[in-house]
Amino acid sequence: MFSKEQLSNAHSKRDDVSSPVMSPTSGFQGSIEINGCRIGPGQPPYMVAELSGNHGGKLETALSLIDAAADSGAHAVKIQTFKADTITLDCNAPDFLIKEGLWDGRRLFELYDEAHTPWEWHEALFERARQRNITLFSSPFDVSAVEFLEKLDCPAYKIASFEVTDIALIRKVTETGKPVIISTGMATLEEIEEAVATVADAGGTQLCLLHCISGYPTPVEDCNLATLKDLQNRFSFPIGLSDHTLDSIVAVTSVALGAKLIEKHFVLDRLDGSVDAQFSLEPDAFLSLTRQCHQSWTAIGQPDYSLKSSEVSNRQFRRSLYIAKDVKAGEIFDHHNLRSVRPAHGLHPRHLEEFIGSRAAMDISAGTPLSWSHREKNETDFNRVQSKAGGV
């Protein structure tokens, strides 16, 4: 489905020179490649099913999610690699209590302990993905997770929005030489540019930024998809979308605005009680999303004014000049007996006024497509003008 042609270097572009952190000016490729799949210009959107904690703590559910993602058109499955104690503290202080939103009242440690994907599952998950011919990669949340994933030959790494300011983690991921994907939820432009600069400074050449709103779920009015175009103007590497809205319209729209990678949370059943189920897509909905995103990409095409194959048979039904009423030889053509109508077997409508005021060269039946032979050859422009004025 994706070609493996050689990727070329590109240059980062910026239109806001006032920002204190300067974007790198060279070194990034215009596309990235994950497991032989090229992501970037000229390629269909790369669809990623995010499992997060929707396995509900059951390995069999996690394996079934990979199977379902493969059957739903996803190019890749993404998991998250962390332990509760590597991402927060087991603490009851108010700072560690969620006070609003989907997880209101829960402690951070408790939530992350429920949502984490046990590290002892990872080998089985990567193996199932290989069996189903679907790519699996992960979001590591600390250095130890990166080192663990490297032993499993993880083909790419995603930096989650909440870690976009973790410069050491971004550097560690980049130093693996694998493609890096960074979500930008909650990040300022300066923080995004600092993350990009960190990848560049660490020798990274394959980077994809995902426009993201870290609202769970995200209201459509918060999405501001015009940001996709702005990111494309600032950087020449691929831009995509990590979408937390409740349905598919935002993701499909983003493809029309140039998104090259679409990430969406994935669940077997929205009612199963798993931590991210409420803003995740079930398999049928994800399959529909995949098809719609591909259709959106296909519809964009390129500037083209040629006649399309689907139009050829309909060209005959455009307008042309036809005799609208029976006309006798010598009778003057006017707007009553000569009209521009469908179909297109007569002269082009642009010639209508050339005939008005002229005389018919023969008897012509209504419904006859007009041709040059229908006009008297000895007519002069003067006679036609006089005729229109009521003379002759």
Side-chain angles (χ1 to χ4, degrees):
M1 184 176 183
F2 293 90
S3 64
K4 296 183 179 180
E5 61 195 67
Q6 182 68 36
L7 302 174
S8 60
N9 287 332
H11 294 278
S12 175
K13 299 174 287 183
R14 297 187 61 237
D15 55 17
D16 181 5
V17 296
S18 63
S19 298
V21 181
M22 295 298 291
S23 300
T25 57
S26 64
F28 287 110
Q29 297 178 357
S31 302
I32 67 172
E33 191 171 306
I34 301 177
N35 269 358
C37 289
R38 184 169 167 249
I39 304 166
Q43 300 299 323
Y46 189 81
M47 307 300 296
V48 178
E50 163 67 84
L51 265 57
S52 64
N54 285 339
H55 48 66
K58 299 176 181 178
L59 174 58
E60 284 306 313
T61 300
L63 295 171
S64 295
L65 281 163
I66 293 173
D67 290 339
D71 293 335
S72 299
H75 296 91
V77 169
K78 191 185 77 66
I79 60 175
Q80 298 177 358
T81 305
F82 66 87
K83 299 175 182 177
D85 60 4
T86 66
I87 201 170
T88 191
L89 301 178
D90 188 0
C91 181
N92 293 322
D95 283 356
F96 297 86
L97 182 69
I98 303 172
K99 300 180 177 64
E100 59 183 21
L102 185 61
W103 305 291
D104 184 32
R106 301 193 65 177
R107 292 193 308 123
L108 287 177
F109 188 91
E110 173 196 357
L111 176 65
Y112 297 145
D113 190 50
E114 176 186 346
H116 89 288
T117 299
W119 290 26
E120 59 268 24
W121 293 5
H122 279 53
E123 187 172 355
L125 297 179
F126 275 93
E127 178 58 29
R128 179 60 65 88
R130 282 190 290 270
Q131 292 172 359
R132 293 305 311 270
N133 197 30
I134 187 171
T135 294
L136 188 146
F137 65 96
S138 185
S139 288
F141 287 76
D142 77 321
V143 169
S144 68
V146 178
E147 294 171 345
F148 171 72
L149 288 165
E150 276 295 281
K151 296 176 183 177
L152 297 172
D153 198 24
C154 185
Y157 292 103
K158 158 87 181 294
I159 299 295
S161 291
F162 289 79
E163 275 61 49
V164 73
T165 56
D166 191 338
I167 300 305
L169 178 61
I170 295 173
R171 184 177 294 110
K172 178 69 174 180
V173 162
T174 304
E175 288 172 349
T176 68
K178 308 288 180 61
V180 180
I181 302 165
I182 301 178
S183 272
T184 60
M186 303 171 292
T188 65
L189 176 59
E190 289 75 17
E191 289 170 336
I192 293 170
E193 290 183 318
E194 184 177 13
V196 171
T198 299
V199 174
D201 291 345
T205 61
Q206 295 193 73
L207 175 62
C208 175
L209 285 182
L210 303 185
H211 175 53
C212 177
I213 305 300
S214 296
Y216 306 96
T218 298
V220 171
E221 58 270 21
D222 283 357
C223 291
N224 291 306
L225 291 182
T227 308
L228 289 164
K229 286 295 186 183
D230 189 65
L231 288 170
Q232 291 164 33
N233 288 334
R234 294 174 183 276
F235 308 108
S236 63
F237 44 73
I239 304 298
L241 177 74
S242 179
D243 180 28
H244 300 122
T245 60
L246 292 175
D247 53 29
S248 300
I249 186 64
V250 169
V252 175
T253 302
S254 76
V255 174
L257 293 172
K260 307 303 182 187
L261 184 154
I262 304 295
E263 180 189 60
K264 191 81 173 175
H265 279 66
F266 188 67
V267 70
L268 294 177
D269 183 351
R270 263 192 176 178
L271 301 180
D272 68 6
S274 52
V275 291
D276 294 336
Q278 291 187 36
F279 55 89
S280 300
L281 292 186
E282 295 174 340
D284 286 348
F286 196 95
L287 177 60
S288 178
L289 169 67
T290 299
R291 289 171 174 169
Q292 290 171 1
C293 285
H294 193 278
Q295 288 171 341
S296 177
W297 173 78
T298 301
I300 295 168
Q302 59 189 1
D304 184 0
Y305 300 98
S306 64
L307 187 68
K308 309 303 178 292
S309 59
S310 61
E311 299 177 301
V312 172
S313 62
N314 289 320
R315 190 179 177 94
Q316 62 180 312
F317 298 116
R318 298 200 302 177
R319 284 180 177 260
S320 69
L321 299 181
Y322 266 79
I323 302 300
K325 293 181 178 181
D326 289 346
V327 173
K328 297 293 185 181
E331 187 175 343
I332 294 173
F333 291 114
D334 58 29
H335 289 287
H336 298 289
N337 58 28
L338 182 60
R339 291 177 54 195
S340 170
V341 298
R342 299 182 186 185
H345 301 297
L347 292 178
H348 194 286
R350 73 169 68 93
H351 300 299
L352 177 61
E353 294 303 319
E354 296 179 53
F355 274 79
I356 298 301
S358 298
R359 294 182 183 276
M362 62 193 76
D363 292 347
I364 317 171
S365 300
T368 301
L370 189 68
S371 72
W372 291 109
S373 65
H374 290 147
R375 188 174 68 178
E376 286 188 355
K377 298 186 184 304
N378 61 353
E379 282 287 340
T380 65
D381 291 339
F382 174 79
N383 286 339
R384 289 199 294 277
V385 172
Q386 288 295 99
S387 163
K388 294 179 188 178
V392 190

